[in-house]
Amino acid sequence: MKRGLIMLLCIFYGAFAYCQEKRVFTIYDYLKLKTVGEASLSPDGRQIAFTVISRRPVEEGKGSNYKELFVWNTKSGEIEPVLTGKLNFSSVQWRPDSRAISCLARFNDNPKYQIYSIPLDSKEPQQVTDIPEGIKQYSWNPNGNGLAFSSLESRNENTELKKMGFDAEVYEEDIPDINLFLMDGENIFQLNKEGTVFDFLWSPDGQKIAAQIAPQNLVDHKYMFKKIYLINVDENQQTLLVDIPGKLTNMAWSPDGKNLAFVAGVDSSDPVSGSLFSVNVPNKKPWDQTRNYTLDFEGSVTDVKWVDNKTMIFSADESVNVTLSEIQLEEESRTILTGQDGIVFNRFQIFDRRICMVANTSLHPNELYQFDLKKRAFKRLTVSNPWLSEVDLARQEKVSYQARDGMTIEGVLQYPVDFNPQQKYPMICVIHGGPESCIKNGWTTSYSRWGNIAAAEGYFVFMPNYRASSGRGVAYSKMDHMDLGDEEFLDVIDGIEYLANEGLINKNKVGIGGGSYGGYFSALGATKYSEYFAAAIPFVGVTNQLSKVNLTDIPYEIYQVHWTIWPNDDPELFYDRSPVKYSSDNKTPTLILHGKEDTRVHPSQSLELYRQLKLHGDAPVRLVWYPGEGHGNKNTQSQLDFNLRTMRWFNHYLKGEGEPDELPPLDVNYQLEKLGDTTLDTKPNP
């Protein structure tokens, strides 16, 4: 009896001590995170090269974060450093003999990105190319004979005139194409005959290249107008292989080179490159006879690889999960391999029925993972942030509810860290952009998706995959056609009502925030639907649909996969779906934030909303510009400012930390001492 009591007391006090040791997650923790970036499986399958990303310290000023390169041994499980220090590089690949790794970098103050090779024995980077315009993309010939690379076409510029101030720019006409080249020894040949090469892939025998080519080097062309061409390297011939009508992303050759699988949209109005196709090489079938292996699939394919000449493996977003599936060339149905593990990833590589990927879960950001096809089991290979075990992260789960028209809407819900079922809590609705994207049930915290940061301060965080999101099939993603900001927004309101009826939230203390299309929703929440929200934070958001199309770098993408009409066809409809139209309905305190260099959603969109709310709104409003930032903040300084400023806004108006009719202070206390050392000082734990 006495012994049992002692054991009970030990368990109690041990649990108490554990709870006492746990702390909550903050923005400073987010900025200390180290994440695995790229992963590349060696051709012999024995090693995985991967990068670990760490923050550039704020005292060094703005600039790119740092990367280091490591190798994981598939037999021993040991991790070996290859490149360490404050470095920046990308496009990590293995050379065909598996004895060296390569990357794109500007080592030794090189003005342009060049290819470097790093032998595993010396670990000393050796410059491979010296192309004046730099390298955009590269790939080694699998047979070991040279490599292919893409680079901007050279232009003869009069530098003397520029020095004198003659620097006029001709918009959209003065953009050089991206050409594809073959490098064999010291010989370099251009392979493409015309257009811009946005992506390419060697055939396994090294004789052919599948290239994604668009007419011009414009963002809209990269999104909407790529076709797959076949380039015969020896004969230097370029022929059309697949006349893709819309979006196109990843490709994969079968091992024998007789088939090419790819991920694309089903037609020109499909918002998502999310269906799986395969064609014979060469291919003479028109698009309407090209087989779609995921017809009527309620998900979005993200990547594809081949197991053998008859079997494909593909990953897909399905609701809030990521699945791996196997399908035979001649079969009609797939075999689902995994999908309920809570492991989230987009791309993968395969060798001898072992798959490697960079993945995350609700408990950690991106790490290196392996999946065994035979055992159908994941294995985590790295631990980059062991201190996360000391942090009390939010309970997170899939949420599902019925919209007012009976449609099932799904998303992710995070609970307050101190959740008590007897209480009702304030809530932040985090709206994803796109709208052709989706929130997965993995790591959901970033500087602009408040996640664990908000949960630590006593908020529910609701992330709905409203209609028009990806991950639910083609028909679902097309539901915003000519209907932007209407039924899709009602899905958010219906989610709020559902959670309020469940007794979880105080629906009078609901905020809304998001970036891009999520910023559009947030601007609607501040105006047309102001009665539902006590605080709104539109970030790089659309506010005037009429002017947005004329100011963006993707007008055709907006036209083809969202509106399907031009503003001139129905200007009343475009203005009706614009938040600025409803500025006089504003009763929601609104914090607007935007990067000054944004080309996707022009900064004037935020200025329009700010001016309208200042003139006609009935609540506090503030506009914050971020110099040097585009469609999202990439610098640590801007990310820290954004998160501290927005969380203060929510706390002020949702938690009563300030007067409801007053603005929070203008300045932000950054408390930089809390950042500590953000650089990588140890290799990740296996």
Side-chain angles (χ1 to χ4, degrees), residues 244-388:
I244 307 289
K247 293 187 174 182
L248 167 68
T249 47
N250 299 329
M251 305 180 294
W253 286 93
S254 61
D256 60 8
K258 294 182 178 179
N259 292 278
L260 183 75
F262 56 92
V263 182
V266 299
D267 54 37
S268 62
S269 66
D270 189 346
V272 183
S273 177
S275 295
L276 176 61
F277 300 87
S278 182
V279 296
N280 295 329
V281 180
N283 171 53
K284 296 183 179 180
K285 291 183 178 180
W287 179 253
D288 59 6
Q289 295 179 24
T290 301
R291 181 175 173 186
N292 180 354
Y293 284 83
T294 48
L295 195 65
D296 300 324
F297 174 53
E298 292 191 9
S300 300
V301 178
T302 56
D303 201 8
V304 60
K305 296 291 185 292
W306 294 81
V307 178
D308 53 45
N309 292 325
K310 299 293 184 182
T311 312
M312 293 179 285
I313 298 281
F314 66 91
S315 57
D317 296 338
E318 294 192 57
S319 182
V320 300
N321 300 313
V322 174
T323 59
L324 269 176
S325 300
E326 184 177 273
I327 192 166
Q328 302 290 322
L329 269 182
E330 306 302 326
E331 298 294 329
E332 297 293 331
S333 60
R334 61 173 174 153
T335 299
I336 301 175
L337 305 174
T338 184
Q340 301 300 321
D341 312 82
I343 296 173
V344 172
F345 57 96
N346 293 316
R347 303 289 298 270
F348 64 93
Q349 295 185 358
I350 186 171
F351 178 86
D352 193 26
R353 302 194 68 83
R354 285 188 178 181
I355 293 174
C356 79
M357 71 277 286
V358 176
N360 62 79
T361 74
S362 62
L363 299 178
H364 63 77
N366 280 344
E367 297 282 6
L368 185 64
Y369 270 78
Q370 183 174 267
F371 181 77
D372 191 312
L373 277 174
K374 185 177 181 180
K375 298 178 181 178
R376 297 192 182 183
F378 283 100
K379 181 181 179 181
R380 180 179 173 182
L381 306 181
T382 59
V383 180
S384 303
N385 303 283
W387 55 267
L388 274 177

Side-chain angles (χ1 to χ4, degrees), residues 394-567:
R395 169 184 166 189
Q396 181 175 304
E397 63 191 26
K398 176 180 176 179
V399 61
S400 180
Y401 58 94
Q402 299 297 308
R404 62 192 65 192
D405 62 355
M407 177 164 287
T408 299
I409 307 298
E410 296 168 334
V412 175
L413 182 69
Q414 285 179 307
Y415 284 67
V417 170
D418 62 353
F419 176 66
N420 181 341
Q422 304 304 315
Q423 291 182 236
K424 293 184 179 181
Y425 292 83
M427 183 172 76
I428 299 172
C429 299
V430 179
I431 311 301
H432 68 72
E436 65 275 24
S437 65
C438 60
I439 297 288
K440 270 87 73 177
N441 194 18
W443 185 259
T444 58
T445 303
S446 71
Y447 77 95
S448 62
R449 284 182 178 171
W450 299 272
N452 281 294
I453 299 168
E457 297 200 32
Y459 291 95
F460 271 95
V461 182
F462 173 47
M463 296 164 275
N465 288 328
Y466 50 90
R467 67 192 72 194
S469 301
S470 60
R472 293 281 299 275
V474 176
Y476 191 84
S477 66
K478 286 186 174 184
M479 285 185 175
D480 73 331
H481 284 184
M482 291 185 65
D483 195 31
L484 282 72
D486 189 33
E487 286 189 345
E488 57 186 6
F489 194 95
L490 298 180
D491 292 342
V492 179
I493 294 174
D494 292 343
I496 295 170
E497 294 291 339
Y498 167 76
L499 295 171
N501 292 336
E502 290 290 302
L504 299 175
I505 66 168
N506 178 352
K507 70 176 186 177
N508 295 318
K509 296 294 181 181
V510 175
I512 186 171
S516 193
Y517 206 81
Y520 170 53
F521 267 42
S522 303
L524 285 171
T527 54
K528 184 176 182 179
Y529 301 102
S530 184
E531 63 185 287
Y532 295 98
F533 301 100
I537 299 180
F539 179 43
V540 295
V542 179
T543 69
N544 186 336
Q545 294 285 5
L546 277 170
S547 58
K548 195 265 183 179
V549 178
N550 299 323
L551 297 171
T552 184
D553 57 359
I554 52 168
Y556 276 100
E557 198 265 355
I558 292 170
Y559 162 69
Q560 289 188 193
V561 306
H562 296 301
W563 280 105
T564 69
I565 58 172
W566 293 108

Side-chain angles (χ1 to χ4, degrees), residues 73-301:
N73 189 296
T74 59
K75 287 190 175 182
S76 68
E78 294 180 352
I79 293 175
E80 180 182 3
V82 178
L83 292 179
T84 58
K86 295 182 176 182
L87 302 173
N88 190 273
F89 53 91
S90 63
S91 192
V92 172
Q93 302 178 26
W94 287 90
R95 298 197 64 158
D97 62 5
S98 297
R99 296 167 61 185
I101 304 169
S102 57
C103 65
L104 289 179
R106 294 189 298 179
F107 295 148
N108 302 320
D109 298 321
N110 201 313
K112 298 288 185 178
Y113 281 96
Q114 303 293 344
I115 302 170
Y116 289 81
S117 179
I118 308 107
L120 290 183
D121 52 5
S122 69
K123 299 182 176 61
E124 291 293 330
Q126 302 169 357
Q127 187 169 335
V128 177
T129 60
D130 188 18
I131 305 301
E133 291 75 24
I135 306 293
K136 303 287 288 186
Q137 182 185 352
Y138 76 98
S139 181
W140 298 96
N141 189 327
N143 67 21
N145 296 325
L147 60 89
F149 68 87
S150 61
S151 178
L152 289 173
E153 66 178 339
S154 60
R155 293 285 181 91
N156 294 322
E157 295 185 349
N158 193 322
T159 55
E160 291 301 318
L161 284 174
K162 278 201 169 184
K163 287 179 181 178
M164 288 188 283
F166 294 93
D167 55 2
E169 298 177 359
V170 180
Y171 186 65
E172 288 191 344
E173 293 182 46
D174 196 28
I175 302 175
D177 282 324
I178 303 172
N179 291 321
L180 182 63
F181 298 89
L182 174 68
M183 181 177 181
D184 190 358
E186 296 183 357
N187 299 316
I188 298 177
F189 309 94
Q190 183 173 329
L191 293 174
N192 64 303
K193 301 299 182 183
E194 58 185 359
T196 278
V197 180
F198 283 111
D199 195 11
F200 63 91
L201 187 66
W202 281 101
S203 63
D205 62 6
Q207 300 299 312
K208 300 179 288 293
I209 292 176
Q212 299 183 11
I213 302 178
Q216 289 182 272
N217 185 14
L218 296 171
V219 177
D220 232 357
H221 283 232
K222 182 178 182 179
Y223 276 24
M224 300 305 306
F225 302 134
K226 293 182 296 186
K227 315 292 183 186
I228 301 178
Y229 287 82
L230 187 65
I231 297 176
N232 189 309
V233 175
D234 290 338
E235 300 176 7
N236 199 13
Q237 290 182 342
Q238 175 182 319
T239 57
L240 181 65
L241 183 67
V242 191
D243 189 7
I244 307 289
K247 293 187 174 182
L248 167 68
T249 47
N250 299 329
M251 305 180 294
W253 286 93
S254 61
D256 60 8
K258 294 182 178 179
N259 292 278
L260 183 75
F262 56 92
V263 182
V266 299
D267 54 37
S268 62
S269 66
D270 189 346
V272 183
S273 177
S275 295
L276 176 61
F277 300 87
S278 182
V279 296
N280 295 329
V281 180
N283 171 53
K284 296 183 179 180
K285 291 183 178 180
W287 179 253
D288 59 6
Q289 295 179 24
T290 301
R291 181 175 173 186
N292 180 354
Y293 284 83
T294 48
L295 195 65
D296 300 324
F297 174 53
E298 292 191 9
S300 300
V301 178

